[in-house]
Amino acid sequence: MLKEVEHWLSTRSWSLTDRPLHKILAAKHRTGQSVSVVLPALNEEATVGDIVAIIRHDLMQQVPLVDEIVVVDSGSTDRTSEVAAAAGARVVHRDDILPRIPAVPGKGEVLWRSLLVTSSDIVCFIDADLKEFSSDFVTGIVGPLLTDPGVDLVKAMYDRPLGGAAGQGGRVTELMARPLLNMHWPQLAGFVQPLGGEYAARRSLLEQLPFPVGYGVELGMLVDALHLVGLDALAQVDVGVRKHRHQDGQALGRMAAQIYRTAQLRLARGHLIRPSLTQFERGPEGFEPRTYSVDTEERPPMADITEYQSRKVA
């Protein structure tokens, strides 16, 4: 590990207990910064309501830390929108944001568009499939941004159990993302959960970053933020344990391919000869090929979008 990363781990890698809630609230009051929580959601009616309700109760009603909760529904066919709204979130449908640019499927697409429907200085992203959710996820990653002006982006780190075994979740992280980062961006090797969906950042940074529309968004954001603001402006906080819905092996394969494509674009800004992935499923006549595109589109920095510029002027 680089000496720079060892130093970073000792100065920019924290736990929840390093910043008690009363100190975070005092910093928010002193600086006047506002906080938006965004949940990207696709068919998450089983979990999204509890997450929204806990954030509202703990961090809006009990203490004034969070200023708004926005659920961006990316085309759910279940009751995600209704459940989220009933729990107290403002629900916005992906296709209603920036209709001039047709939306495409993907998590990064939703996160990018969320910048247009939120207004706070700090934007906190929380995945909508978390189980046994604690508001510590929010306070943990928002705290450093409110208390330390030198920090621009904070990722949550946690244990990810799988099938009752501790630390076995995050398979794409261990098999794809961590090797890529260690080999090509070793300054980022200290991140425990580089692909985790729980992180917070200053709007002033997010609006300058391109957003891969799919699963490559977290890796792309880390790499681009490193180049834009430097390692010392990035941090991570231990928030305990993360439990969520796990995907099957083939879905993870497609995720890994998108992440590799995101990395490849940042390494060369070139084009793969064949940006696709073929997988196999057993059918009536044996194994049948299924081919998926992994040529992930990227959205430009939000600061370049006319509608966003107009909103800031207004």
Side-chain angles (χ1 to χ4, degrees), residues 40-200:
L42 177 62
N43 295 330
E44 303 294 356
E45 67 174 340
T47 50
V48 68
D50 286 344
I51 297 171
V52 169
I54 289 169
I55 296 172
R56 275 192 59 83
H57 176 267
D58 292 359
L59 304 180
M60 297 181 79
Q61 296 170 346
Q62 296 283 84
V63 298
L65 180 66
V66 171
D67 297 280
E68 63 174 350
I69 306 174
V70 179
V71 171
V72 183
D73 190 325
S74 58
S76 297
T77 56
D78 64 1
R79 298 183 59 253
T80 291
S81 290
E82 294 88 339
V83 170
R90 176 162 60 94
V91 178
V92 186
H93 291 271
R94 176 199 62 196
D95 295 350
D96 295 334
I97 306 170
L98 198 61
R100 172 176 66 84
I101 301 176
V104 297
K107 179 183 178 182
E109 177 84 353
V110 174
L111 300 184
W112 182 70
R113 290 175 186 264
S114 74
L115 297 181
L116 263 168
V117 292
T118 54
S119 57
S120 296
D121 306 298
I122 294 170
V123 183
C124 173
F125 298 118
I126 300 289
D127 280 351
D129 66 341
L130 301 189
K131 302 173 183 178
E132 301 178 28
F133 177 77
S134 167
S135 58
D136 286 345
F137 275 72
V138 176
T139 56
I141 56 180
V142 166
L145 294 164
L146 289 170
T147 59
D148 190 334
V151 174
D152 288 329
L153 185 149
V154 182
K155 298 223 44 149
M157 57 176 167
Y158 32 67
D159 293 316
R160 295 183 67 177
L162 176 63
Q168 295 303 305
R171 290 161 287 173
V172 175
T173 292
E174 300 305 328
L175 296 174
M176 176 61 71
R178 199 176 310 285
L180 280 172
L181 292 176
N182 275 264
M183 287 186 289
H184 299 295
W185 296 281
Q187 287 177 294
L188 298 174
F191 278 95
V192 175
Q193 297 292 350
L195 301 185
E198 291 70 47
Y199 48 98

Side-chain angles (χ1 to χ4, degrees), residues 132-313:
E132 301 178 28
F133 177 77
S134 167
S135 58
D136 286 345
F137 275 72
V138 176
T139 56
I141 56 180
V142 166
L145 294 164
L146 289 170
T147 59
D148 190 334
V151 174
D152 288 329
L153 185 149
V154 182
K155 298 223 44 149
M157 57 176 167
Y158 32 67
D159 293 316
R160 295 183 67 177
L162 176 63
Q168 295 303 305
R171 290 161 287 173
V172 175
T173 292
E174 300 305 328
L175 296 174
M176 176 61 71
R178 199 176 310 285
L180 280 172
L181 292 176
N182 275 264
M183 287 186 289
H184 299 295
W185 296 281
Q187 287 177 294
L188 298 174
F191 278 95
V192 175
Q193 297 292 350
L195 301 185
E198 291 70 47
Y199 48 98
R202 300 190 191 282
R203 176 176 295 274
S204 56
L205 171 62
L206 293 172
E207 66 186 15
Q208 297 181 69
L209 298 176
F211 276 62
V213 300
Y215 287 118
V217 63
E218 275 85 21
L219 183 135
M221 187 177 296
L222 268 186
V223 171
D224 294 339
L226 173 67
H227 290 299
L228 192 62
V229 296
L231 181 61
D232 201 48
L234 313 181
Q236 61 184 352
V237 174
D238 188 348
V239 296
V241 179
R242 182 189 197 266
K243 296 181 180 180
H244 67 113
R245 171 176 46 81
H246 293 282
Q247 301 196 54
D248 62 41
Q250 290 209 332
L252 294 179
R254 296 190 291 274
M255 184 186 302
Q258 288 190 19
I259 290 165
Y260 177 78
R261 172 60 169 165
T262 300
Q264 188 268 344
L265 287 172
R266 277 152 180 77
L267 286 168
R269 296 295 172 182
H271 297 281
L272 290 174
I273 295 174
R274 187 172 181 269
S276 60
L277 174 72
T278 299
Q279 297 176 319
F280 293 88
E281 297 177 8
R282 184 180 289 280
E285 299 180 3
F287 285 104
E288 301 174 354
R290 301 283 188 272
T291 299
Y292 302 88
S293 172
V294 295
D295 195 15
T296 58
E297 186 176 349
E298 297 204 8
R299 295 304 191 189
M302 187 57 78
D304 295 343
I305 300 299
T306 302
E307 289 87 341
Y308 189 78
Q309 296 170 352
S310 300
R311 191 190 71 162
K312 294 188 73 172
V313 170

